Amino acid sequence: MNLWSTWKKGFDIWERTTASYLEEVIQNPLVMNTSGHALTAFMKAKAASDSSMAKWWGSVGLPTKRDQERTLHALNQMQSRLMDLEERLEEMDRN
Amino acid sequence: MDGRFFNIIRRFQDRPKVGATPADVVHAENKWRLLRYRSEQRSGVPILLIPSLINRHYVLDLMPGKSFAEYLVAQGHDVFIIDWGTPEKEDRFLTFEDIVLGYIGRAVRKAASYSPTGKTHLLGYCLGGTLATIYTALEGDKVESMVNLAAPIRFNDDGMLSAFSKIPTLNLELMVKAFGNVPWPLMQFGFHLLKPTLNMSKAVYMLEKAWDDQFLDGFFAIETWGNDNVSFPGAVFLKYIKELYQEDLLHKGEFYLDGRQVDLHNINCPLLNITFEHDHIVPWKSAAVLNELVGTDEPDLMHMRGGHVGAVVSRKASKGLWPDISNWYRGHEPSANLRLA
């Protein structure tokens, strides 16, 4: 038990020091900007690859992933509009 | 030490079910559902719980004996909750208007339809509180009262989330273009960076309390919730980060939804705003500022010790925070006000 308490005390000190050090490092503009650059570069590559894939898909006359997403979204929006209408009709019935 | 590990594994295998309070689905639309908790003795104006859009709703119904929703139901309240569900790829096109005016609006009207006054109490947690606040400012006629739990209103603060949102080299439009919805692992990684050693200290704390079965049950429940996140719908994320975090438009009174200005001074219903001293996700001053902006006469502010999640779901909360909220509701039931008059 004593061994655990001693180890725990040491851990707590290490944790406090490391946490404040890491928070400082992470908030450093150099680290933040570099991470931002890296993530942006990755996203640029992904967006470009998705776009070329969509172009190829579209060139053979097939709907792209984005087309399908837009269609599904439009269906969901239509469901919501129908529910709006139902609500209005119920309200008119009540009045 | 082996005994500790053995007990942790044993409790992990027998961990209680999360979100177990019985509830019925009273409405379902796209991915979200409106749940009404079952109760034999519910009465009064319903309470609609609005959790954050990017976390599971069951943080407010964590596990039997440690569930805020279960507690409210046991106190005789009629409790509803929004389960936002899991956004799919097509939900990248959902807008802030769809969420606030469409979905929250519908949930409010549905809950209010069960109310003796035709209105409902709103309780928003974290981003859910921000959304509830925006809704009430625009469409407050069916809102009896508002309770905000750690809900950010002023986003331009010294918190790390605010700093992350302003990294100049991070292209948010590109993020949404590439991913559609912002992936939850990316957001979770960001949250871990807020307290980089948190996971390690949680593991050590768990070892220390390895003999406390009650603690372990709660620990596993909260870890289950903490690792069960959902992605952020792309278009909503863009507006949220750009207009709220980067430009702080809600606090400035310059935030627009569907062409309408969100003027927080339009909020006139009773308000209880609850903030937490050690909240590293929503610095308490960023939430407390709401009381200065609303039109309510003497809005209530409750400032408590504790962090963003622990203070809401802990054993301590069941003896302090939850009864305080329930009593506040009892004091703001229209019938109670009539009796006082």
Side-chain angles (χ1 to χ4, degrees):
Chain A
M1 197 60 200
N2 275 341
L3 193 66
W4 170 261
S5 312
T6 315
W7 182 85
K8 180 72 185 10
K9 268 182 201 157
F11 173 81
D12 287 342
I13 294 168
W14 172 85
E15 197 269 335
R16 271 197 301 273
T17 322
T18 312
S20 63
Y21 172 72
L22 283 179
E23 276 166 30
E24 223 166 271
V25 169
I26 290 164
Q27 290 213 46
N28 184 310
L30 192 67
V31 174
M32 276 199 172
N33 289 341
T34 311
S35 315
H37 269 306
L39 194 55
T40 300
F42 168 74
M43 293 180 308
K44 214 177 259 179
K46 186 178 183 308
S49 126
D50 288 351
S51 156
S52 61
M53 183 68 88
K55 268 185 199 150
W56 179 84
W57 210 243
S59 70
V60 288
L62 291 168
T64 65
K65 211 164 81 175
R66 188 65 63 90
D67 293 334
Q68 294 173 41
E69 287 167 4
R70 281 190 200 284
T71 310
L72 277 172
H73 176 67
L75 285 171
N76 288 332
Q77 295 294 89
M78 221 184 291
Q79 181 200 31
S80 294
R81 294 297 83 83
L82 283 172
M83 286 174 172
D84 288 345
L85 280 172
E86 269 175 14
E87 268 191 68
R88 281 187 199 171
L89 284 172
E90 278 171 22
E91 207 179 307
M92 280 164 72
D93 269 355
R94 272 198 301 273
N95 298 330
Chain B
M1 190 56 98
D2 285 350
R4 285 178 200 253
F5 283 119
F6 180 73
N7 198 41
I8 289 170
I9 292 166
R10 187 178 61 83
R11 291 314 299 177
F12 180 73
Q13 283 168 342
D14 295 338
R15 62 192 184 279
K17 201 169 172 265
V18 289
T21 307
D24 298 305
V25 179
V26 294
H27 178 76
E29 182 176 350
N30 195 357
K31 314 300 179 306
W32 73 278
R33 303 179 308 161
L34 179 65
L35 309 179
R36 186 188 196 193
Y37 289 102
R38 281 182 212 149
S39 166
E40 298 289 315
Q41 39 153 15
R42 58 190 167 208
S43 65
V45 176
I47 300 171
L48 172 59
L49 308 178
I50 305 181
S52 173
L53 196 59
I54 51 171
N55 300 118
R56 297 292 180 190
H57 72 287
Y58 62 77
V59 67
L60 296 172
D61 179 26
L62 198 58
M63 55 181 257
K66 251 187 164 185
S67 158
F68 178 48
E70 180 192 51
Y71 176 85
L72 288 176
V73 170
Q75 299 307 305
H77 298 286
D78 187 3
V79 185
F80 292 75
I81 192 166
I82 293 179
D83 167 7
W84 290 114
T86 308
E88 298 289 343
K89 299 263 185 203
E90 69 274 14
D91 294 314
R92 66 189 295 166
F93 301 113
L94 278 179
T95 61
F96 221 96
E97 283 82 351
D98 290 329
I99 301 290
V100 175
L101 299 173
Y103 298 168
I104 292 181
R106 179 113 53 223
V108 166
R109 291 191 296 277
K110 292 276 175 196
S113 70
Y114 294 86
S115 170
T117 62
K119 292 184 173 189
T120 182
H121 296 297
L122 285 191
L123 185 148
Y125 179 32
C126 188
L127 170 58
T130 311
L131 299 176
T133 304
I134 294 170
Y135 174 79
T136 309
L138 290 173
E139 309 260 334
D141 57 325
K142 285 196 183 297
V143 180
E144 189 75 57
S145 78
M146 232 176 74
V147 173
N148 270 10
L149 272 173
I153 298 297
R154 186 183 61 205
F155 291 81
N156 193 7
D157 52 43
D158 54 359
M160 265 170 82
L161 273 186
S162 183
F164 287 164
S165 72
K166 293 180 188 121
I167 301 174
T169 52
L170 187 59
N171 187 331
L172 297 172
E173 280 91 356
L174 196 56
M175 185 184 278
V176 171
K177 193 176 171 200
F179 293 119
N181 298 325
V182 180
W184 66 263
L186 188 65
M187 288 190 298
Q188 188 153 355
F189 178 68
F191 280 113
H192 282 167
L193 288 182
L194 296 179
K195 288 258 174 199
T197 56
L198 188 65
N199 277 347
M200 210 180 283
S201 57
K202 275 197 292 193
V204 171
Y205 193 56
M206 177 179 71
L207 268 180
E208 193 174 21
K209 306 271 271 180
W211 303 116
D212 184 344
D213 287 353
Q214 214 182 351
F215 165 82
L216 287 179
D217 287 346
F219 181 83
F220 290 132
I222 203 78
E223 285 303 300
T224 302
W225 172 78
N227 290 296
D228 180 17
N229 293 317
V230 291
S231 301
F232 208 142
V236 183
F237 169 83
L238 260 190
K239 191 170 172 84
Y240 179 58
I241 298 294
K242 286 179 86 99
E243 296 187 18
L244 295 184
Y245 264 104
Q246 292 180 346
E247 298 175 43
D248 204 14
L249 295 184
L250 182 62
H251 178 237
K252 292 178 186 163
E254 295 165 14
F255 185 64
Y256 281 79
L257 216 56
D258 199 26
R260 295 153 68 191
Q261 187 180 12
V262 181
D263 182 358
L264 298 178
H265 202 259
N266 288 341
I267 298 176
N268 294 305
C269 62
L271 166 71
L272 170 61
N273 193 9
I274 303 168
T275 59
F276 301 107
E277 179 74 32
H278 306 293
D279 192 335
H280 67 284
I281 294 174
V282 179
W284 74 269
K285 286 181 183 164
S286 304
V289 74
L290 176 64
N291 288 40
E292 297 163 20
L293 303 171
V294 292
T296 307
D297 287 334
E298 297 179 25
D300 295 312
L301 179 69
M302 200 189 284
H303 182 60
M304 309 188 86
R305 289 174 62 83
H308 190 73
V309 181
V312 180
V313 299
S314 64
R315 244 181 281 179
K316 212 173 139 196
S318 65
K319 294 184 175 68
L321 177 68
W322 302 350
D324 287 345
I325 294 176
S326 177
N327 291 335
W328 189 87
Y329 278 127
R330 290 292 175 224
H332 289 85
E333 280 289 317
S335 55
N337 292 335
L338 284 176
R339 276 201 301 275
L340 286 173

